[in-house]
Amino acid sequence: MSAYRLYTVVPRLLEMIDQLTNWYVRFNRKRLKGENGSEDTVYALNTLFEVLLTMCRLMAPFTPFLTENMYQTLKTHLPENYFEGDSRSLHFVSFPDVREEYFNPDIERAMSRMQAVIELGRIIRERNNVALKMPLLELVVVHSDPQYLEDVRGLSEYITEQLNLRNLVLTSDEDTYGIKYRAEADFKKLGIKLRKDMPRVKKALPDVPSSEIKNVQVTGSLLVDGITLGADDINIVRYFDKLSLADKSKQYDEATDKSVVVLLDTQIHEELYHEGLAREVINRVQRLRKKSGLQALDDVVYYYQITEDPEDILATVLKSQAEFLRQTLKQDILSMAEKKAEAFAEEVQEINESKFVLAFVRA
């Protein structure tokens, strides 16, 4: 017990919970619901089950009552004698052993890089007040390492889905996308080394050409006003220079974690704008389903009636995005004029400046 340190364990457990809920479950909703076939669903559910069971065993010393409650539910799906000895309570079960065969550095590296790209994309969306429901045309991932780009390519489907994108571009062509280099230095630390020459370096460093700073990654040194600095003396930062962009029609905004540069085209295109409004309609249907206490398998027919629609935007969306709405909702949204039975749920919905009545009738 002398080595017991709660603060060394709990942060890692919390990070694991975040990885499970905000990444694995969120990314695999379709698999867990069976949209990719029953066999794939079994794999996804088995993975989730084992992770939950292992987490209960790991967290039992810290949250004994919560994990015991979860364990009692999970235990009903375990075969008899799954655990050696008494397994009536989680606290009778042994602590889990490390499963070395589950570790895969390649998968962990690729997953980490995919997460970095998605988080940077979310930052750009939030900065520009563009909701995730609004589809955007293009995201560009710029990195000089081919392995980095290959890792991202292998998980590109998740990136386009989570960031609601039409195109994902992976490239090492920094010149085309206006990527420049600048050098930053800790002048307090550098002053001890350079002494009287430090002011010269501080003045000249911002004017060093991008190409020379980039070359430091190869040569390991940088000449600044006649003074040689080593790669350890500076921090090389890549950034996006809009004026150096080859295609000036693009409206890119950038984010970087000092490893990868991500450029997101934040321009709202009309077709994508209509799809974004269609997603808002879907959101209103889902919210009313939840408010009405409906379960996923409850069979309901949807009806609508537009009450306010400046410039007929909502009517245009319902017509042009009919196929997208049908695929997502698994049925059409019908005109209220076709309703032949009394609705058990009815509510006025508002999307931007348009309003419509949404009604549910049991099938």
Side-chain angles (χ1 to χ4, degrees):
M1 290 298 292
S2 61
Y4 178 78
R5 299 289 186 273
L6 192 64
Y7 55 80
T8 64
V9 178
V10 171
R12 295 187 180 186
L13 288 174
L14 293 175
E15 182 183 355
M16 183 178 177
I17 292 172
D18 176 71
Q19 292 281 351
L20 177 65
T21 57
N22 291 327
W23 295 98
Y24 181 77
V25 173
R26 183 173 183 175
F27 280 36
N28 290 278
R29 284 174 181 168
K30 292 181 179 179
R31 295 181 65 208
L32 294 168
K33 291 179 180 179
E35 293 188 18
N36 293 346
S38 58
E39 184 177 357
D40 185 63
T41 301
V42 170
Y43 288 139
L45 289 172
N46 282 344
T47 300
L48 180 59
F49 183 91
E50 182 167 352
V51 171
L52 289 173
L53 183 61
T54 304
M55 281 183 59
C56 285
R57 297 166 70 187
L58 288 170
M59 296 181 64
F62 313 107
T63 53
F65 301 109
L66 173 64
T67 51
E68 177 67 23
N69 181 271
M70 292 174 63
Y71 171 74
Q72 292 301 328
T73 301
L74 295 170
K75 190 178 72 169
T76 60
H77 301 283
L78 289 172
E80 287 188 33
N81 303 319
Y82 182 81
F83 294 113
E84 292 183 6
D86 193 344
S87 60
R88 289 174 298 164
S89 168
L90 175 65
H91 304 290
F92 297 159
V93 175
S94 63
F95 203 73
D97 296 322
V98 176
R99 302 286 297 273
E100 296 286 352
E101 67 271 22
Y102 284 178
F103 290 85
N104 188 315
D106 293 336
I107 293 177
E108 291 175 22
R109 183 191 65 238
M111 183 69 182
S112 175
R113 290 171 171 177
M114 178 205 69
Q115 289 174 316
V117 170
I118 291 174
E119 287 172 345
L120 291 172
R122 288 172 179 168
I123 288 171
I124 299 174
R125 274 185 171 271
E126 290 174 8
R127 187 193 302 152
N128 290 273
N129 296 316
V130 180
L132 276 171
K133 292 188 183 71
M134 181 60 63
L136 292 177
L137 185 62
E138 184 176 81
L139 180 82
V140 182
V141 178
V142 187
H143 204 286
S144 58
D145 182 5
Q147 184 61 60
Y148 192 108
L149 299 177
E150 192 59 37
D151 287 344
V152 173
R153 181 177 288 105
L155 297 169
S156 60
E157 183 179 343
Y158 291 110
I159 297 173
T160 55
E161 181 179 349
Q162 291 300 311
L163 292 178
N164 197 5
L165 304 166
R166 286 297 157 270
N167 302 311
L168 178 65
V169 178
L170 307 175
T171 182
S172 57
D173 186 355
E174 296 178 332
D175 293 334
T176 297
Y177 290 96
I179 304 303
K180 298 292 184 181
Y181 287 74
R182 68 170 179 266
E184 298 176 349
D186 183 346
F187 291 109
K188 186 176 181 181
K189 179 181 176 182
L190 204 57
I192 299 173
K193 178 180 178 180
L194 299 178
R195 298 184 181 278
K196 63 179 182 179
D197 290 329
M198 198 275 287
R200 287 172 54 194
V201 172
K202 187 174 183 179
K203 180 180 179 181
L205 190 59
D207 298 324
V208 177
S210 172
S211 58
E212 293 183 17
I213 297 173
K214 180 180 180 179
N215 201 41
V216 174
Q217 299 172 110
V218 178
T219 63
S221 63
L222 178 67
L223 190 64
V224 182
D225 195 16
I227 300 168
T228 301
L229 301 180
D232 295 338
D233 296 326
I234 58 174
N235 180 34
I236 298 175
V237 179
R238 293 191 303 163
Y239 67 96
F240 172 56
D241 180 15
K242 189 174 293 187
L243 297 177
S244 301
L245 191 64
D247 186 353
K248 299 294 191 296
S249 66
K250 298 290 187 179
Q251 295 184 13
Y252 288 129
D253 192 4
E254 62 92 21
T256 179
D257 60 1
K258 295 188 177 181
S259 172
V260 63
V261 177
V262 166
L263 307 176
L264 182 61
D265 185 353
T266 57
Q267 184 177 1
I268 306 299
H269 299 267
E270 183 178 4
E271 181 182 349
L272 299 180
Y273 176 69
H274 286 169
E275 184 181 323
L277 293 180
R279 290 178 182 274
E280 293 288 353
V281 173
I282 292 167
N283 174 259
R284 301 306 188 274
V285 172
Q286 293 171 338
R287 278 162 49 177
L288 187 55
R289 283 188 66 98
K290 184 176 181 180
K291 187 176 181 179
S292 303
L294 293 171
Q295 300 300 315
L297 298 178
D298 290 341
D299 201 4
V300 176
V301 181
Y302 309 135
Y303 295 93
Y304 76 92
Q305 181 176 356
I306 298 174
T307 55
E308 294 181 31
D309 191 18
E311 301 180 11
D312 294 327
I313 293 177
L314 182 58
T316 301
V317 167
L318 290 171
K319 183 177 180 180
S320 65
Q321 300 295 318
E323 182 60 29
F324 173 67
L325 291 167
R326 185 183 304 113
Q327 290 179 354
T328 306
L329 296 173
K330 311 302 182 188
Q331 62 173 290
D332 291 312
I333 303 182
L334 304 176
S335 169
M336 198 74 78
E338 301 178 56
K339 184 166 69 73
K340 298 178 181 178
E342 185 176 352
F344 67 88
E346 188 171 306
E347 191 174 80
V348 175
Q349 308 291 334
E350 185 173 350
I351 300 176
N352 296 341
E353 298 179 359
S354 300
K355 293 183 179 180
F356 68 101
V357 178
L358 181 63
F360 292 171
V361 174
R362 297 194 186 278

